[in-house]
Amino acid sequence: MSTTTPPAPGRYVPGPGGPGSQPTAAPRLVRQRRRRPGLIALSVALIAAGGLSGALLFTASGQRTAVLVVARDVPQGAAITDADLAPASLALDPAVKAVPVAKKAEMVGQRAAVGLKAGALLSPGQVTSVSLIKAGEQLVGVALKASQLPASRLAPGQKVLIVSTPDPSQAAAGGKAADVAAPKTVAATVVAVGLPAPATGVVVVDVAVPVVEGPTLAARVATGAVALILAPQEGS
């Protein structure tokens, strides 16, 4: 009976092919890589820092400027008040003409050369210091009911006509028909428009008229026998 002797430790063991074959390589142990939370957190922090730096650089390159914008609508010719303007920080092209916030005090009290819309950027060319009352003119307040005004909203700078309406007492006494057929009119420029009175709805409209017409118009307005109509537009 033959016996098999186990190989001694450290001895070479021939492969299945016999003594001339290559030795069998020992299997390798695959080590699992460890995740390092600290390294991941550092990578995330670096990415966030890079994004923040880019945002700050973009903001700095915008060269934001403190300028004035229109806070609420201002009709043409109306005086600009402190509440009509608000500050804003904007990145503007050098070609854009804007009014710095530091000049707000200079803008208050001036008049709107054009109609100003809420939210729009204020530019120097949109304001003027020229008064709507010219030399040789007088300011007259005209109190009018809703039936004596056009439905269209009046705005400073508008050209209007103040029309003398028939006096009811004269009409009852048999006034001349010619006075009714050809009413007297006075050309005027709207300077300001008041708010309707809560009880009566009467609106006071300040108008600029020639000095020679001022006293006569004021006396006519006191009787209430006037009406205001829009003047014909040029070219119409």
Side-chain angles (χ1 to χ4, degrees), residues 34-57:
R34 284 184 173 181
R35 294 183 178 179
R36 299 181 180 179
L39 184 59
I40 295 175
L42 179 60
S43 301
V44 173
L46 289 174
I47 294 173
L52 180 60
S53 299
L56 292 175
L57 181 61

Side-chain angles (χ1 to χ4, degrees), residues 174-215:
K176 295 182 180 179
D179 293 337
V180 178
K184 179 178 175 59
T185 61
V186 177
T189 302
V190 176
V191 175
V193 182
L195 296 176
T200 62
V202 173
V203 177
V204 177
V205 181
D206 289 344
V207 296
V209 297
V211 173
V212 294
E213 299 284 1

Side-chain angles (χ1 to χ4, degrees), residues 11 15 19 30 40 42 69 76 83 99 116 128 138 158 171 186 200:
R11 291 183 59 186
V30 180
I40 295 175
L42 179 60
V69 295
Q76 180 182 5
V99 180
L116 305 178
T128 179
Q138 211 166 23
Q158 267 186 313
V186 177
T200 62

Side-chain angles (χ1 to χ4, degrees), residues 92-122:
L92 300 176
D93 188 279
V96 177
K97 303 300 182 184
V99 180
V101 171
K103 292 188 176 181
K104 183 178 181 179
E106 299 179 20
M107 298 295 106
V108 174
Q110 297 200 47
R111 297 187 179 276
V114 296
L116 305 178
K117 296 297 181 182
L121 181 68
L122 183 68

